Amino acid sequence: MSESTVPQAKTNGWEPKIVAFCCNWCSYGGADSAGMGRFQQPASTRIIRVMCSGRIDPLHVFNAFLEGADAVLVTGCHIGDCHYVNGNDKTKIKYKYLESVVQQLGIEKERLQLNWISASEGEKFANFIRDVTEQIKKLGPSPLKPEGVV
Amino acid sequence: MGKVGAVAIIGAGIAGIQSALDLADGGFKVYLIDSKTTIGGRMAQLDKTFPTLDCAMCIVSPKLVEASRHPNIDLILYSDVTSVSGTEGNFKLKLLKKARYVEEDKCTGCGICVEKCPSKVPDEYNAGLSKRKAIYLAFPQAVPRVMTIDAAHCLYLTKEKCGVCKKVCAAGAVNYEQKDREIELDVGSIILATGFTPFDPLLLKQYKPTHPDVITSMQFERILSASGPTQGHVLRPSDGKAPKYIGFIQCIGSRNPHIGRSRCSSVCCMQAIKEAIIAREHDPNLDITIFNIDIRAFGKGFEEFYSRAKKEFGIKFITSRPPEVQVDSAGKMFVRYEDLNEGKIKNMPLDLVVLSVGLDPSPETKKLASMLGLDLDEFGNVTSLIDHPLETNAPGIHACGVVQGPKDIPDTVAQGSGAAAKASALLATERGTLIKEKIYPKEKAIPEQPRIGVMVCHCGINIGGVVNVPAVVEYAKTLPNVVHSEEAIYACSKDNQEKIITLIQEKNLNRFVVASCTPRTHEQLFQNTLKDAALNPYLFEFANIREHCSWVHMNEKEKATQKAKDIVRMGVAKSNLLAPLSTSKVPVTQTALVIGGGIAGMTCALDIANNGFPVFLVEKEEKLGGLLRHVTSLEDGRRSSDIITPLIRNVMSHPRIQVFTGTQLAELKGYVGNFEGTLDTKGTKHEIKFGVAVIATGANELVPSGYYNYGARNIITQLNLENALENGFEKPPENVVMIQCAGARVPERPYCSRTCCVEAVKNAIRIKKETKASVYVLYRDMRTYGVWEKLYREASSLGVVFLRYSEEKPPVVKDSTVTVHDLLIGDDIEIEADLIVLSAPMVAPASNVELAKLFKVPMDKNGFFLEAHAKLRPVEFATTGVLLCGTAQAPKLIDEGIAQASGAAAKACVLLSKVEMETDAMIAVVDEKLCIGCGTCVKVCPFNAPQLIEVEVNAEEVVYLAKKSRINPAMCKGCGSCAASCPTGAISPRGFTAPQIKAAVRAFSGIVEVPS
């Protein structure tokens, strides 16, 4: 993409681009339920499906930032509901580590968020996307965004 | 003579299709017969389904494809049964297959004949609102995709003119000489599933059914549908303009004894609410009123849906059924109704009137019933008993779906499965004798270079109405290694499955990406299509541009299109790195565990055992019987002991059922086919092994503390009343007041408990018959749905007084005085009662939480178990091998619980009928060269799948012993937690490998990397 798109990105029309990691059984289903319930949400987010949030390697999250994500969402089943017994509990622990690294890199904490969303919580999913998008709009593009990426 | 291991199913709607699939999967030959040219029945005509607003075609289409592809299902369509002889185990059917004048094996379904045909005929699929041609396909996604010539309207067949279809048919499929032909079938059992026909409102001239802007609910369904006559735009038929005021009139052809239709049709209230919501979604300016007697929103999630219709969509509900539709001198339509708030008769002008027509028995049901020797009830339904809802009076002949009584889709599907369990139990010794295995073509080797095909789905207008599909198609063509990209109206339809196969073969594709809906429902369908095309199924990738895009960005078409492109790009990027995956086989423990010894659990256990498989039946109480032990009489007047005593006897004496009372499942491990559990009988442990589990843990009656002074003297629940009616009152009451919805349909418990209205009316009748007491029933909506409307009529005729109260002004109980604000007279009424009976809802047992954790299955927000799909998978969990039935799923009547139990049994038998099953292909594998034997994966895995083993390592000059991880493919569930914790990246969860995820992440910013 041309470099001229970068200054435009700072204008009011700028839309954040967000990566959401969703687990197959709960939060991906929650995103599906948002669709089925027609819960409207900003078109800011791109979902990457994994079987369990426990699959999300911190490296995947850093990769997403390095590719220009303005925020990265880690989502899974509510604690206790994991289809794989306790994958999300392990996610929680890894997430603490992720948070500390993100902090050391100087990225605003709003850019990395964890949320538990069940397959029936379509409205919650939509609200989450709306809230995060609003927060990131206020912050502007991610400082890690590579040159030339909108 | 031995029995025949084949079943004839008459009626290929969703009930018949479900029966067919379960029987064929369980090892029986199936003949699926219909008088229509296609399978799918009424459900294929629906736009969406309540209460989840799933697109009906989207969820039924995979079933149509599955049924038509099944090697053990023969579709015999456009055929009528002409005679039946023989008995249980050995029936002979004669059928007349009508001439289509098109050779089924030659027609490709291309549709060129339809385009050229000059003769137009009203289109039945669009309920007469549009025209089809004399040569036609019933609907765009019809299965099989074979044209039919309507002989009555074909110019060649009537006048020997035209003949254009034959001329243009490149396949040479048109054959005007084709004759009707006779077919004979030998089967062991027959299932009748002939469904319904919508009531014809011409019988009710006062509603002006011939006025162009007075339409039926079925016609409105078509208007709302993207594939309908107005492409989903809400337009009135008279002038094609958008209406402003729409009125639904309920109970047209239902609850009306004057025209011989006194039963309630069960589904019309929800259908009207659904249609009203969809109409409002299409056009937010619509003003919609539903005129009704009661709103019967009794199913799972229905009351909440009704509530949303009022609060979120502003749909108005008026409790008054207009007696007629009138037209004023200016030609404007209006209806007269009673405004109960003001106590006045009012007029409401309407631009469009929708008559909510009831469900009449299909015309062929009567003919078939007399041919098969079946009794019909006073409503024309096939007669059955509460305890045998799927069995007819004729041995070996079963009935399911609406032919047995009005019901909605999930109950129909459960009955479809249930009838399969009954038929297969009868023919259990013949299982596997007449079937053939589905043989897929040998997988072809995959060259290094990916060649990717992309299909972008319009999903009617579900996607195409928001996302610019052609633009996405063109965009996909620009992505690396995409060699073909095209659009489809419905990617899931049968013709498009065939299209995908052709594309893969002709263009030598080795990856395929479909951009449409969610992999959660449709992945398997497309994976099987790849298998048919000799490709490994795991070379398929989904791009969800409906749930995650068009449906959630309805007002942002450009952004939605951009997002759809991004999603397709990410899918293509991942597909570049997909690899073929293989499975292995593990033995199946051909035994079931049923948890819960109530009517549902016992029925399920018995059906599984009668199918030839051993069952462990576990009940936590000391006695079998569940909640029904506290019920004394049945809706049909029999004692509940009439059904429960023989059932307990059959269960206890069955050689294949082992009963554990006073027992709970304490521990569980394993997976479908190979579960291991520990039963705890008051401290005594039993280790058991089983292949499938059924959760049938039932429900309890709420203790209505905090409602209507419960706890005070002479205030009891309906179950207490059952007991008193059976065993005598302390002091016989003279004035009985029943209060409905005591603790239900309230903010803290928003659901309707479904059974309490029937229960109350049943007990009210009993009081009237057995005592001299007066009975008052205070209700919000009288939900005596289906055939039980007759109990409501009987109670009224016996003098039971029904008073309607509103949600805002519930009755007040003070000492022995009940004050109710009666909506009909608009005033407070005081009743002196010596017995107050609270109709308290069924509630889920608190112990469900523990069970949900053991099995890792979800519960809904009311604490009941959550089935895999609200419409089409009512007795399954998303987790394979774990099933549910009865009131564990949601409150329901006895016959409904029994039908579900048989349905769950059918699903269990499908799994248990196999000696071995395939393991998952999507499991984690270890690269031993990278593994340092740290054991992190062993600690992280909750399934004990990885193990450290000692191997000899030969590293350049040095040979040494080292620990390496190995993952047991039968125990790995593919979650990938181990991979995310492995410090050296030695573990790859297949299907979600690090390079694949990285490719998707990278494509997020616009770059698609090609594998090196």
Side-chain angles (χ1 to χ4, degrees):
Chain A
M1 268 168 227
S2 71
E3 284 189 14
S4 63
T5 54
V6 178
Q8 273 179 7
K10 305 272 186 192
T11 64
N12 283 340
W14 177 75
E15 289 276 349
K17 280 191 104 180
I18 298 167
V19 171
F21 289 99
C22 292
C23 80
N24 183 64
W25 305 95
C26 294
S27 54
Y28 192 93
D32 281 354
S33 296
M36 286 186 269
R38 310 295 189 276
F39 294 113
Q40 302 299 298
Q41 50 190 272
S44 55
T45 305
R46 307 291 177 265
I47 290 172
I48 293 178
R49 180 170 72 114
V50 287
M51 292 312 283
C52 176
S53 64
R55 168 67 187 111
I56 304 164
D57 191 320
L59 281 175
H60 302 147
V61 175
F62 297 133
N63 263 331
F65 279 121
L66 293 175
E67 292 298 337
D70 296 301
V72 179
L73 312 178
V74 175
T75 65
C77 307
H78 288 274
I79 295 294
D81 289 355
C82 177
H83 186 77
Y84 305 102
V85 185
N86 53 17
N88 50 0
D89 221 29
K90 290 173 282 205
T91 306
K92 203 166 91 180
I93 296 165
K94 278 180 280 188
Y95 183 79
K96 288 226 162 85
Y97 159 73
L98 260 173
E99 262 183 328
S100 70
V101 178
V102 162
Q103 204 183 348
Q104 286 172 43
L105 288 172
I107 307 173
E108 299 92 332
K109 64 177 189 337
E110 289 84 355
R111 296 192 190 274
L112 176 68
Q113 301 202 24
L114 176 74
N115 208 338
W116 307 135
I117 300 166
S118 82
S120 60
E121 290 175 328
E123 194 167 11
K124 181 176 178 184
F125 188 91
N127 290 341
F128 179 48
I129 299 302
R130 191 176 311 120
D131 292 348
V132 175
T133 306
E134 282 310 309
Q135 291 168 17
I136 304 302
K137 264 189 178 171
K138 286 185 192 135
L139 293 178
S142 160
L144 291 187
K145 197 185 275 285
E147 191 83 349
V149 174
V150 185
Chain B
M1 197 162 80
K3 291 173 182 171
V4 183
V7 179
I9 300 173
I10 308 171
I14 189 63
I17 290 173
Q18 190 58 56
S19 275
L21 288 172
D22 288 333
L23 279 165
D25 285 344
F28 297 90
K29 175 77 197 176
V30 175
Y31 302 101
L32 184 57
I33 301 161
D34 205 293
S35 58
K36 304 279 188 322
T37 59
T38 170
I39 60 172
R42 292 287 168 192
M43 189 178 168
Q45 251 182 309
L46 303 179
D47 178 41
K48 294 198 166 64
T49 57
F50 55 78
T52 47
L53 293 183
D54 267 325
C55 154
M57 186 50 78
C58 306
I59 58 176
V60 79
S61 193
K63 293 255 180 194
L64 305 184
V65 175
E66 203 184 337
S68 73
R69 277 183 177 182
H70 205 293
N72 299 317
I73 299 176
D74 283 359
L75 302 183
I76 303 180
L77 301 176
Y78 214 35
S79 302
D80 294 317
V81 179
T82 52
S83 76
V84 179
S85 57
T87 51
E88 182 178 41
N90 281 286
F91 291 104
K92 194 178 276 297
L93 269 71
K94 280 189 181 164
L95 298 104
L96 190 68
K97 186 169 173 60
K98 290 171 272 190
R100 282 183 194 260
Y101 304 102
V102 173
E103 308 273 356
E104 294 191 7
D105 51 346
K106 288 185 185 164
C107 177
T108 64
C110 74
I112 187 82
C113 53
V114 178
E115 209 177 289
K116 302 292 180 194
C117 173
S119 178
K120 289 186 176 174
V121 187
D123 185 354
E124 303 87 346
Y125 180 66
N126 278 331
L129 289 173
S130 65
K131 295 275 169 78
R132 63 159 168 82
K133 298 293 183 65
I135 187 164
Y136 70 106
L137 191 64
F139 54 94
Q141 302 77 29
V143 170
R145 197 174 167 78
V146 173
M147 304 298 158
T148 304
I149 296 180
D150 185 335
H153 296 93
C154 169
L155 294 176
Y156 187 87
L157 292 171
T158 52
K159 299 176 193 156
E160 293 208 14
K161 286 178 183 163
C162 186
V164 68
C165 52
K166 192 178 172 78
K167 283 182 214 129
V168 298
C169 180
V174 175
N175 174 9
Y176 299 125
E177 309 304 318
Q178 200 179 53
K179 298 273 177 289
D180 296 354
R181 83 189 151 89
E182 250 193 19
I183 296 175
E184 277 191 22
L185 302 175
D186 290 304
V187 297
S189 174
I190 297 170
I191 294 175
L192 191 65
T194 43
F196 69 96
T197 192
F199 170 76
D200 183 351
L202 284 176
L203 265 178
L204 294 171
K205 299 233 179 318
Q206 61 272 37
Y207 290 105
K208 303 224 167 6
T210 54
H211 189 293
D213 293 333
V214 177
I215 60 173
T216 67
S217 42
M218 215 59 195
Q219 289 177 313
F220 197 50
E221 193 85 34
R222 295 312 306 152
I223 286 179
L224 294 171
S225 172
S227 61
T230 58
Q231 287 79 46
H233 299 289
V234 183
L235 303 174
R236 60 179 183 188
S238 65
D239 55 6
K241 287 190 179 146
K244 166 82 179 151
Y245 297 97
I246 300 180
F248 284 79
I249 304 177
Q250 297 306 105
C251 300
I252 299 296
S254 302
R255 302 181 71 181
N256 185 348
H258 306 299
I259 52 166
R261 283 158 180 90
S262 58
R263 49 95 194 90
C264 156
S265 291
S266 290
V267 298
C268 330
C269 284
M270 291 308 294
Q271 186 181 19
I273 295 171
K274 172 194 76 178
E275 290 183 359
I277 287 181
I278 300 169
R280 276 289 303 243
E281 278 187 345
H282 288 219
D283 181 355
N285 297 316
L286 289 174
D287 186 304
I288 305 178
T289 306
I290 298 178
F291 295 97
N292 63 86
I293 310 176
D294 299 279
I295 288 295
R296 295 189 164 170
F298 54 82
K300 188 168 181 168
F302 292 5
E303 179 69 21
E304 294 90 329
F305 191 66
Y306 170 36
S307 204
R308 272 184 78 187
K310 285 186 281 190
K311 289 171 191 154
E312 220 173 286
F313 293 91
I315 316 286
K316 286 178 272 188
F317 291 84
I318 293 182
T319 312
S320 168
R321 188 169 60 165
E324 58 185 331
V325 173
Q326 291 166 276
V327 178
D328 67 17
S329 51
K332 180 99 185 127
M333 283 195 300
F334 70 96
V335 292
R336 288 169 82 79
Y337 69 98
E338 189 181 357
D339 184 328
L340 291 177
N341 293 328
E342 297 176 27
K344 280 185 192 154
I345 303 291
K346 288 187 174 175
N347 288 347
M348 183 185 286
L350 292 169
D351 301 322
L352 184 68
V353 172
V354 182
L355 303 178
S356 283
V357 291
L359 312 186
D360 270 3
S362 299
E364 58 258 58
T365 299
K366 203 170 174 184
K367 211 177 84 195
L368 283 164
S370 88
M371 203 183 287
L372 298 166
L374 307 183
D375 297 337
L376 298 180
D377 69 12
E378 68 227 74
F379 311 113
N381 307 318
V382 171
T383 306
S384 59
L385 293 169
I386 288 174
D387 45 335
H388 297 285
L390 306 165
E391 281 143 321
T392 69
N393 56 299
I397 303 179
H398 310 279
C400 61
V402 180
V403 74
Q404 186 262 355
K407 59 182 62 67
D408 70 349
I409 294 167
D411 288 342
T412 296
V413 171
Q415 281 205 344
S417 289
K422 296 293 180 192
S424 61
L426 170 66
L427 306 174
T429 52
E430 308 306 313
R431 189 187 297 276
T433 54
L434 293 176
I435 59 159
K436 45 182 191 270
E437 282 291 310
K438 165 92 186 181
I439 301 187
Y440 288 102
K442 192 175 177 307
E443 270 176 32
K444 57 184 178 193
I446 301 301
E448 298 270 300
Q449 179 70 27
R451 293 178 57 83
I452 303 170
V454 178
M455 183 175 274
V456 186
C457 179
H458 281 267
C459 193
I461 58 166
N462 282 304
I463 295 169
V466 177
V467 169
N468 182 343
V469 170
V472 178
V473 169
E474 288 309 309
Y475 175 73
K477 287 179 185 165
T478 67
L479 297 170
N481 293 330
V482 171
V483 294
H484 181 81
S485 171
E486 69 171 59
E487 59 193 276
I489 299 298
Y490 291 101
C492 57
S493 65
K494 188 172 192 297
D495 57 320
N496 278 318
Q497 302 314 297
E498 279 155 18
K499 185 75 175 284
I500 292 170
I501 295 171
T502 312
L503 285 172
I504 290 171
Q505 287 165 345
E506 286 180 355
K507 302 197 179 274
N508 201 19
L509 306 177
N510 52 34
R511 309 283 191 284
F512 209 91
V513 178
V514 170
S516 60
C517 51
T518 170
R520 285 164 52 93
T521 56
H522 281 63
E523 190 168 55
Q524 208 184 3
L525 171 79
F526 292 108
Q527 286 182 331
N528 284 340
T529 302
L530 260 64
K531 279 160 87 174
D532 276 331
L535 267 192
N536 184 280
Y538 298 94
L539 297 168
F540 173 78
E541 181 65 22
F542 232 116
N544 183 339
I545 60 167
R546 191 182 72 177
E547 279 84 348
H548 295 184
C549 189
S550 66
W551 277 354
V552 292
H553 311 306
M554 291 167 95
N555 306 314
E556 297 184 292
K557 296 189 176 181
E558 272 177 34
K559 284 181 185 167
T561 301
Q562 184 54 49
K563 178 168 169 180
K565 288 179 184 174
D566 290 355
I567 295 171
V568 168
R569 183 176 64 243
M570 291 163 77
V572 166
K574 185 177 173 189
S575 83
N576 262 299
L577 301 180
L578 292 176
L581 305 181
S582 59
T583 58
S584 52
K585 289 191 168 167
V586 292
V588 172
T589 308
Q590 290 175 293
T591 300
L593 167 68
V594 176
I595 305 172
I599 186 101
M602 285 194 289
T603 302
C604 186
L606 207 53
D607 280 342
I608 296 172
N610 285 339
N611 266 280
F613 305 107
V615 182
F616 299 112
L617 177 62
V618 174
E619 166 59 48
K620 71 173 190 296
E621 305 286 330
E622 295 303 320
K623 280 183 178 172
L624 293 174
L627 195 63
L628 198 55
R629 283 196 295 126
H630 306 288
V631 175
T632 53
S633 71
L634 302 174
E635 294 88 340
D636 60 7
R638 287 185 294 163
R639 329 299 314 149
S640 62
S641 55
D642 292 349
I643 70 174
I644 208 153
T645 311
L647 188 59
I648 292 175
R649 196 171 51 229
N650 290 341
V651 164
M652 295 303 290
S653 63
H654 202 294
R656 280 189 286 270
I657 301 178
Q658 203 177 339
V659 178
F660 294 85
T661 51
T663 301
Q664 282 179 288
L665 180 69
E667 282 168 51
L668 178 75
K669 58 182 182 183
Y671 48 90
V672 56
N674 292 279
F675 286 110
E676 289 176 33
T678 307
L679 300 180
D680 183 337
T681 312
K682 293 182 219 70
T684 309
K685 301 280 167 77
H686 283 277
E687 303 296 327
I688 57 167
K689 289 186 175 182
F690 51 97
V692 296
V694 183
I695 296 181
T697 45
N700 303 322
E701 185 185 56
L702 173 77
V703 178
S705 303
Y707 300 100
Y708 305 110
N709 271 357
Y710 179 77
R713 219 179 114 72
N714 291 338
I715 303 184
I716 63 172
T717 68
Q718 289 289 354
L719 281 188
N720 301 144
L721 176 63
E722 293 262 359
N723 181 48
L725 280 164
E726 196 69 12
N727 300 314
F729 291 95
E730 242 174 75
K731 177 172 163 271
E734 286 172 11
N735 272 312
V736 182
V737 172
M738 295 184 182
I739 303 178
Q740 299 304 102
C741 304
R745 303 177 68 192
V746 290
E748 62 275 22
R749 220 169 283 100
Y751 64 94
C752 161
S753 181
R754 186 171 184 139
T755 61
C756 333
C757 283
V758 174
E759 167 81 4
V761 168
K762 176 193 80 179
N763 286 341
I765 290 172
R766 204 167 160 199
I767 295 174
K768 288 304 264 187
K769 284 185 173 168
E770 293 176 13
T771 75
K772 291 191 165 58
S774 304
V775 185
Y776 302 85
V777 179
L778 316 185
Y779 71 101
R780 282 172 59 187
D781 290 282
M782 188 43 62
R783 293 180 173 173
T784 44
Y785 59 93
V787 298
W788 304 120
E789 177 72 4
K790 68 183 175 191
L791 293 184
Y792 184 27
R793 305 195 73 79
E794 185 185 352
S796 301
S797 70
L798 288 171
V800 175
V801 179
F802 289 89
L803 301 171
R804 185 195 291 266
Y805 73 89
S806 72
E807 186 182 1
E808 295 75 28
K809 282 192 186 167
V812 176
V813 177
K814 200 173 174 220
D815 302 324
S816 59
T817 308
V818 183
T819 310
V820 58
H821 184 80
D822 177 60
L823 283 180
L824 197 65
I825 59 168
D827 213 346
D828 285 358
I829 297 176
E830 280 188 9
I831 309 164
E832 280 303 311
D834 52 1
L835 184 65
I836 296 170
V837 185
L838 303 183
S839 292
M842 282 193 207
V843 290
S847 54
N848 280 2
V849 178
E850 288 309 308
L851 213 50
K853 277 193 181 145
L854 271 183
F855 281 99
K856 299 291 152 210
V857 292
M859 300 190 308
D860 65 25
K861 58 183 184 295
N862 299 317
F864 294 97
F865 286 104
L866 183 63
E867 63 277 22
H869 190 274
K871 285 284 157 188
L872 295 186
R873 296 178 69 191
V875 298
E876 295 165 86
F877 285 107
T879 310
T880 320
V882 189
L883 308 160
L884 78 165
C885 61
T887 50
Q889 184 254 356
K892 55 182 61 72
L893 294 170
I894 297 163
D895 57 326
E896 296 166 337
I898 290 175
Q900 264 200 345
S902 295
K907 293 288 176 195
C909 293
V910 166
L911 293 165
L912 296 178
S913 64
K914 292 170 181 59
V915 182
E916 53 181 19
M917 65 196 311
E918 277 182 280
T919 59
D920 234 336
M922 300 239 276
I923 52 165
V925 287
V926 182
D927 181 346
E928 279 186 17
K929 286 198 290 296
L930 295 177
C931 176
I932 52 168
C934 68
T936 304
C937 50
V938 178
K939 291 183 201 125
V940 160
C941 179
F943 309 108
N944 302 318
Q947 276 186 317
L948 289 183
I949 46 142
E950 205 154 73
V951 296
E952 191 174 276
V953 177
N954 191 339
E956 298 176 22
E957 305 286 290
V958 199
V959 177
Y960 60 96
L961 285 177
K963 293 221 160 113
K964 298 281 179 186
S965 166
R966 272 205 196 145
I967 294 174
N968 179 348
M971 294 171 85
C972 174
K973 292 190 180 279
C975 70
S977 281
C978 52
S981 307
C982 176
T984 61
I987 304 180
S988 277
R990 292 159 150 194
F992 295 90
T993 65
Q996 286 166 352
I997 295 175
K998 195 179 166 195
V1001 171
R1002 190 132 175 74
F1004 158 80
S1005 65
I1007 297 153
V1008 177
E1009 280 192 351
V1010 185
S1012 50

